[in-house]
């Protein structure tokens, strides 16, 4: 075996690698865009018809988590199918399914329909996300991969910026479904460019599919998350049904791990996790998204329900977070080169913990510029976590396993985010119900239970009651702010756990001139 530094990428592909990266980022854009747009639309969808769907807080959580759970559960298999059939084919197919799901979601007539069609969107997205990174790893030489991954990560920041602003502008002029319909023209453009520019690539020795593993992973996650969300909705985690569902989810997930260890063709190769650096990078991604997705969930209600900002204004408030990601994600590798992965990622995690703690001090009259500073610092922290950990993960496995590495990375991101919304959303719901319950005594029993679900439910009932309901408004704000403070501190604790993990296990300065031993020849199947 030679250690020649000869290029491994065909010249025709190498010449247009940056244009290909642009197309991959456009594909990534709509997958991330969808969640960031939905964040701004949460309050509108929770509003009673005809403005919204009148979704409860638990239904809103499921509208988000039906996407993330299906997405996370299918990523392993989607990565393997891309490795087997060709990443270009899988990318185009995934985009088409995502576009169809988006059109159906836009026309949903009930929260149940929205939850279902969001799952269809996730089916398509699961095939898009791992394939974008896998194609990237196969069109850039190893020396350029950190820079390309940094730009790719910066694209996430771009989507975070565009999503809330686009969603806010659409909600100011059109019905709530427009936030999903906007995906369709983007899909059309992305597919056309992909057919023209992107080369196909595949794994010369693809793994066999693992349908049992897929079913166990999705079933276990759905049971676990359902139990957590139900516990928050009832404000009682000792309820027999809640406990039984959570325990069943944990048992199924343990069964999934045992099955994967015994299988000769696992969808999740647990041997990867023997590498402490790889495991720490995965844990960092999961923990940071656990904390951030939970905070984003209550942040929308803080800016719109408590502070009174419109969806568009709420979207504009997110600009500093996105700007920081776009500025620092492509440059984070420079800090890694100078200080190493450990120092860079630990500093990023500490910054995330500090910004989450800041939310625990926010009140209804906190100067808005402080929120903007916190968002900018939060984006800065994310940029210095996502870029170094993505590089560690993608370079820890052989290039022909790029689809599997990308799937693992995104699975942990999505599972972390889903659990963050479920756990921190349940903390928010339980704390809110505890804070507002004794103020609802004058309401009929049926209304009392509904009004205690969320701040939107309380304010909606107060509005229907007219002058008699005004007495509920201030207590609702007070109860929500207290619940937000409690939830923010939980998020801070999770971020601090992540800080310890990366500080202990991630490497320091990267080894100089490390050879790319995991770089087999690229197999292309045409332009």
């Amino acid at each position: 075996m030679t250690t020649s530094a000869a290029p491994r990428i065909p010249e025709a592909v190498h010449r247009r690698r940056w244009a290909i990266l642009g197309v991959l980022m456009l594909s990534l854009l709509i997958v991330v865009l969808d969640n960031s747009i939905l964040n701004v639309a949460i309050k509108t969808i929770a509003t009673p018809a005809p403005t919204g769907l009148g979704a409860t807080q638990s239904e809103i959580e499921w509208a988000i988590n039906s996407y993330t759970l299906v997405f996370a559960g299918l990523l392993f298999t989607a990565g393997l199918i891309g490795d087997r059939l060709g990443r270009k084919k899988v990318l185009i197919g995934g985009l088409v399914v995502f576009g169809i799901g988006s059109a159906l979601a836009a026309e949903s007539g009930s929260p149940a329909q929205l939850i279902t069609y969001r799952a269809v969107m996730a089916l398509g997205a699961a095939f898009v996300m791992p394939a974008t990174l896998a194609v990237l790893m196969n069109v850039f030489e190893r020396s350029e991969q950190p820079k390309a991954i940094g730009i790719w990560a910066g694209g996430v920041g771009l989507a975070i910026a565009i999503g809330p602003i686009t969603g806010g502008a659409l909600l100011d002029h059109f019905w709530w479904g427009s936030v999903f319909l906007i995906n369709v023209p983007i899909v059309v453009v992305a597919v056309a460019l992909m057919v023209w520019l992107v080369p196909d690539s595949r794994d010369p020795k693809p793994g066999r599919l693992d349908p049992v593993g897929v079913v166990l992973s999705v079933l276990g996650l759905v049971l676990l998350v359902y139990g957590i969300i139900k516990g928050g909705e009832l404000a009682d985690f000792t309820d027999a049904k809640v406990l039984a569902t959570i325990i069943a989810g944990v048992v199924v997930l343990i069964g999934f791990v045992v099955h994967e260890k015994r299988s000769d063709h696992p969808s999740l190769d647990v041997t990867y996790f023997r590498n402490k650096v790889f495991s720490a990078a995965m844990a960092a991604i999961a923990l940071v998204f656990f904390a951030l997705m939970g905070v984003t969930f209550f942040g929308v209600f803080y800016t719109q329900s408590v502070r009174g900002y419109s969806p568009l204004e709420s979207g504009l408030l997110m600009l500093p977070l996105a700007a920081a990601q776009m500025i620092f994600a492509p440059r984070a590798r420079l800090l890694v080169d100078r200080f190493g992965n450990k120092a860079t990622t630990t500093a990023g995690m500490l910054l995330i913990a500090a910004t989450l703690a800041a939310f625990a001090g926010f009140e209804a009259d906190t100067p808005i510029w402080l929120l903007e500073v916190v968002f900018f610092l939060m984006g800065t922290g994310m940029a210095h976590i996502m870029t170094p950990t993505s590089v560690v993960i993608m370079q820890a496995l052989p290039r022909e396993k790029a689809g599997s590495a990308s799937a693992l990375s995104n699975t942990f991101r999505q599972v972390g985010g889903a659990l963050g919304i479920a756990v921190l959303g349940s903390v928010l719901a339980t704390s809110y119900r505890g804070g507002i319950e004794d103020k609802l005594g004058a309401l009929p029993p049926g209304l009392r239970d509904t009004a205690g679900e969320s701040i939107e439910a309380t304010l909606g009932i107060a509005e229907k009651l007219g002058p008699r309901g005004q007495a509920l408004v201030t207590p609702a704000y007070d109860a929500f702010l207290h619940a937000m403070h409690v939830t923010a501190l939980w998020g801070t604790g999770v971020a601090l756990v992540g800080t310890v993990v990366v500080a202990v296990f991630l490497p320091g300065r990267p080894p100089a001139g490390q050879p790319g031993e995991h770089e087999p020849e690229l197999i292309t199947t045409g332009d």
Side-chain angles (χ1 to χ4, degrees):
M1 179 178 176
T2 65
T3 56
S4 168
R8 298 176 181 273
I9 311 297
E11 180 59 30
V13 173
H14 182 73
R15 280 199 307 269
R16 62 178 192 267
R17 65 196 184 284
W18 297 110
I20 292 169
L21 178 60
V23 178
L24 297 178
M25 287 176 65
L26 184 62
S27 304
L28 174 72
L29 183 73
I30 61 166
V31 175
V32 180
L33 186 77
D34 177 70
N35 271 335
S36 58
I37 279 184
L38 182 61
N39 286 338
V40 176
I42 285 172
K43 179 180 178 293
T44 306
I45 294 171
T47 304
T51 303
L53 292 175
T56 65
Q57 180 163 310
S58 61
E59 286 170 337
I60 290 290
E61 289 179 43
W62 274 114
I64 298 171
N65 281 340
S66 66
Y67 183 94
T68 53
L69 291 176
V70 171
F71 187 60
L74 293 178
L75 274 172
F76 300 127
T77 298
L80 283 171
I81 291 174
D83 290 343
R84 177 184 292 270
L85 300 181
R87 284 92 182 220
K88 178 177 181 174
K89 299 182 186 73
V90 163
L91 257 173
I92 292 172
L95 283 170
V96 170
V97 172
F98 185 87
I100 292 170
S102 298
L104 291 171
E107 298 298 328
S108 299
S110 68
Q113 286 184 4
L114 178 60
I115 291 165
T116 301
Y117 295 140
R118 289 269 299 159
V120 174
M121 293 170 68
L123 174 64
F127 287 88
V128 173
M129 181 69 94
T132 59
L133 257 184
V135 171
L136 182 155
M137 297 297 286
N138 280 285
V139 299
F140 284 91
E141 296 291 350
R142 190 174 181 88
S143 60
E144 284 188 319
Q145 285 172 6
K147 181 179 180 182
I149 289 174
I151 295 170
W152 179 90
V156 175
L158 181 65
I160 290 173
I162 293 173
I165 296 169
T166 305
L170 289 168
L171 291 172
D172 274 2
H173 295 91
F174 304 103
W175 93 115
W176 64 265
S178 61
V179 301
F180 298 110
L181 202 59
I182 191 66
N183 292 331
V184 176
I186 301 175
V187 165
V188 172
V189 172
V191 168
L193 290 173
M194 201 165 291
V195 169
W196 178 36
L197 283 173
V198 176
D200 208 350
S201 63
R202 57 181 172 82
D203 185 345
K205 297 177 182 177
R208 288 161 57 196
L209 301 183
D210 177 26
V212 174
V214 171
V215 171
L216 288 175
S217 64
V218 173
L219 180 62
L221 286 169
V222 168
L223 285 170
L224 178 62
V225 170
Y226 176 83
I228 293 169
I229 291 175
K230 192 68 179 175
E233 185 182 333
L234 298 175
D236 181 10
F237 283 88
T238 62
D239 179 84
K241 183 186 289 186
V242 170
L243 280 175
T245 309
I246 291 174
I247 291 169
V250 171
V251 169
V252 172
L253 289 175
I254 291 171
F256 166 70
V257 173
V258 171
H259 169 77
E260 297 302 285
K261 288 180 73 173
R262 293 179 176 176
S263 175
D264 59 357
H265 56 283
S267 57
L268 188 159
D269 191 341
V270 292
T271 60
Y272 295 155
F273 293 92
R274 292 174 184 166
N275 182 330
K276 290 180 180 178
V277 172
F278 181 83
S279 297
M282 286 293 190
I285 285 177
L287 289 171
V288 76
F289 270 83
F290 180 102
L292 284 170
M293 289 297 285
V295 169
T296 301
F297 186 76
F298 70 63
V300 172
F301 290 104
Y302 173 68
T303 56
Q304 294 186 33
S305 298
V306 176
R307 301 301 296 260
Y309 289 99
S310 71
L312 177 57
E313 289 168 337
S314 183
L316 289 169
L317 289 175
M318 296 290 289
L319 265 179
L321 188 152
Q325 281 215 40
M326 287 187 287
I327 292 167
F328 294 113
R331 294 171 174 81
R333 64 190 174 84
L334 301 176
L335 283 182
V336 173
D337 290 343
R338 182 167 182 180
F339 300 108
N341 277 299
K342 184 192 295 284
T344 304
T345 311
T346 301
M349 291 297 295
L350 280 173
L351 194 53
I352 291 291
T355 55
L356 294 175
F359 274 96
F362 280 16
E363 301 292 345
D365 57 354
T366 298
I368 205 64
W369 66 265
L370 283 176
L371 179 66
E372 298 297 85
V373 170
V374 167
F375 276 148
F376 184 82
L377 293 175
M378 190 176 283
T380 303
M382 279 196 72
H384 290 93
I385 297 166
M386 296 310 300
T387 298
T389 52
S390 295
V391 172
V392 166
I393 290 164
M394 295 305 292
Q395 293 191 344
L397 301 183
R399 175 186 279 180
E400 75 272 18
K401 300 300 180 186
S404 299
S406 176
L408 276 169
S409 171
N410 285 290
T411 296
F412 273 67
R413 181 185 308 188
Q414 294 297 323
V415 170
L419 290 175
I421 290 168
V423 173
L424 297 185
S426 294
V427 171
L428 184 74
T430 303
S431 299
Y432 180 78
R433 187 181 287 275
I436 195 70
E437 220 159 19
D438 61 348
K439 307 295 192 299
L440 304 175
L443 296 177
L447 279 182
R448 196 181 310 154
D449 192 54
T450 303
E453 287 183 353
S454 67
I455 184 173
E456 275 308 302
T458 308
L459 295 177
I461 287 172
E463 187 177 348
K464 285 181 181 176
L465 293 174
R468 289 190 302 126
Q470 283 305 304
L472 292 175
V473 174
T474 299
Y477 289 158
D478 292 342
F480 176 82
L481 287 169
H482 171 71
M484 183 179 84
H485 298 160
V486 171
T487 309
L489 291 175
W490 273 64
T492 303
V494 171
L496 288 174
V497 170
T499 305
V500 173
V501 169
V502 298
V504 172
F505 293 111
L506 283 193
R509 293 173 183 270
Q514 180 176 326
E517 70 271 18
H518 294 318
E519 294 193 53
E521 182 178 357
L522 168 68
I523 293 184
T524 59
T525 59
D527 290 349

